[in-house]
Amino acid sequence: MTNLARLHEVAKNNDALRHILSDSNNPPLNTTKTELDYGLAPLCERYGFSYGRSFDYSVGAFLELLFALGASGAVAVSMAIHPNLNIAANLARTHGVLVVPLLPCQSLDVARQKGAKSFVLSPVNDEIFSHNVYHKNMGELFVYDMSLTLAAGILRPDSLSQTDADMILLEGEILGLARPLGAFLQRMPTRDSCALFAMQPPIIGLGLAFCAVLESQQTIKNQATLFWEILHAAIPTLSLFAPLQSLIPNALPLRFVGIKARALISACAYDEILIINGRRCLFGLSQPSYVLESMGFCDAHCRELIALSFGTLAEQEMHRIAQILKLRYAQVLALNL
């Protein structure tokens, strides 16, 4: 059964996928490689990739990727990349793909012991802003989501083709483009690339748009240590969810003991300080981060996470923000919200 046929089988019980695969949205199956490539050709040529495709980070896009990778054996999937990837992994598992879930802190050896040869990974744990360091073995296929790595200035775009990734995913929303724009890049066409993502039509100008945002990325001066010292001096009970030296530039996963994040998020919004409870659960309105829970943090600790990221700040501004957070934190504690 082809990947597209398997997607149609899954779509029978999934309204969103059924819409994606409807005749009005599905391009002809005999689309040629040239037609598939032209939207992202400038991006591929600029950064040294042989193949590119639009990738909208939908459940359907991730599902097709997993079907393609799963044809060669077990696929290890990081749980911290995107909620739609987790949904797709569950769907793929019910349709015969051996998917091995990976926590950001787990060694790849866990998946290797279960036969995984393909890995869908992110160099950054985007719940707590820490680095994930992976080592590739001979014969393995790595798919990296490099969106946050590029946005945080950890990697310069010119170095993209020098990583050990065989395929790269870029989420436009993180890099400054509109949702749901995204890109799939492949170093060498090791499998039938034209069969991958055949349901997503090319977007004219997408490659040029990605080139523009990537080339506008600037080197970030890391002020995390200074800001942390100022915050901790103002709020001595404050702690971090990961060691400072393991964090990406200008990002702090703060633990405000004894509160629920949503109360502090709401209070700080009036001061135009926009913070979230982990990148994938945003405001913490319903349940705490499932990624943090899977990493071993209890429910209460998950709800105490405030993810704070920032650009270049003057030291005076850091002190101002620290005092506002101190005040709002004390108010939330006093009101027992």
Side-chain angles (χ1 to χ4, degrees):
M1 183 182 292
T2 66
N3 289 341
L4 192 62
R6 296 175 78 182
L7 281 171
H8 277 288
E9 182 65 25
V10 177
K12 289 179 181 178
N13 298 308
N14 188 299
D15 291 338
L17 282 180
R18 191 158 52 246
H19 171 71
I20 290 171
L21 293 170
S22 66
D23 291 338
S24 61
N25 290 280
N26 190 33
L29 296 180
N30 62 353
T31 309
T32 66
K33 187 174 189 300
T34 302
E35 289 172 324
L36 286 170
D37 279 355
Y38 70 81
L40 280 174
L43 183 63
C44 294
E45 292 168 4
R46 174 67 180 83
Y47 296 109
F49 290 90
S50 64
Y51 178 79
R53 208 42 226 132
S54 62
F55 188 90
D56 64 6
Y57 279 72
S58 65
V59 173
F62 280 120
L63 191 58
E64 193 171 5
L65 175 61
L66 294 177
F67 279 157
L69 297 176
S72 299
V75 185
V77 174
S78 172
M79 295 175 60
I81 293 177
H82 199 281
N84 285 345
L85 174 57
N86 298 326
I87 296 171
N90 290 330
L91 283 170
R93 194 180 291 114
T94 63
H95 287 265
V97 179
L98 180 54
V99 177
V100 182
L102 271 177
L103 299 177
C105 56
Q106 272 185 315
S107 166
L108 298 189
D109 290 338
V110 174
R112 289 176 177 129
Q113 291 169 4
K114 297 181 180 180
K117 291 292 184 181
S118 299
F119 299 81
V120 185
L121 307 166
S122 172
V124 175
N125 177 351
D126 58 7
E127 290 293 311
I128 58 174
F129 300 136
S130 60
H131 289 281
N132 298 323
V133 180
Y134 299 115
H135 300 286
K136 185 178 181 182
N137 289 344
M138 185 75 70
E140 293 179 340
L141 187 150
F142 273 21
V143 182
Y144 271 136
D145 185 321
M146 300 297 288
S147 313
L148 196 54
T149 305
L150 291 167
I154 300 168
L155 183 75
R156 294 297 303 158
D158 287 335
S159 301
L160 267 177
S161 62
Q162 299 169 21
T163 68
D164 59 0
D166 301 283
M167 304 174 185
I168 282 176
L169 302 178
L170 299 175
E171 186 174 3
E173 185 179 11
I174 293 178
L175 293 165
L177 297 177
R179 182 189 292 185
L181 297 176
F184 165 90
L185 304 177
Q186 192 165 347
R187 190 188 306 279
M188 292 295 291
T190 55
R191 295 171 186 166
D192 184 8
S193 298
C194 293
L196 277 176
F197 322 125
M199 66 178 185
Q200 297 191 31
I203 299 174
I204 298 174
L206 183 60
L208 292 174
F210 266 108
C211 285
V213 297
L214 290 177
E215 288 168 11
S216 69
Q217 300 292 324
Q218 299 179 354
T219 302
I220 297 173
K221 179 183 178 181
N222 192 2
Q223 299 176 291
T225 299
L226 174 60
F227 202 1
W228 165 244
E229 290 171 351
I230 291 171
L231 287 167
H232 194 250
I235 311 170
T237 58
L238 209 58
S239 61
L240 291 168
F241 273 81
L244 191 62
Q245 63 271 19
S246 72
L247 301 177
I248 65 175
N250 290 359
L252 295 169
L254 303 170
R255 182 185 171 200
F256 286 81
V257 179
I259 66 167
K260 292 182 179 179
R262 63 173 179 259
L264 187 58
I265 291 169
S266 298
C268 289
Y270 291 103
D271 301 295
E272 297 185 348
I273 297 175
L274 306 179
I275 48 183
I276 58 175
N277 178 230
R279 199 170 77 85
R280 290 306 177 197
C281 51
L282 296 179
F283 305 113
L285 295 178
S286 54
Q287 296 179 339
S289 166
Y290 62 88
V291 176
L292 289 180
E293 287 186 325
S294 300
M295 291 173 64
F297 293 101
C298 68
D299 183 275
H301 289 177
C302 294
R303 293 182 185 279
E304 293 169 344
L305 168 66
I306 290 293
L308 175 66
S309 61
F310 53 96
T312 302
L313 291 176
E315 188 172 340
Q316 181 180 0
E317 181 68 2
M318 293 183 189
H319 282 284
R320 185 187 75 84
I321 293 172
Q323 290 306 310
I324 292 174
L325 289 173
K326 177 182 179 179
L327 173 63
R328 297 306 184 199
Y329 178 39
Q331 290 173 337
V332 171
L333 282 173
L335 294 171
N336 195 27
L337 295 177

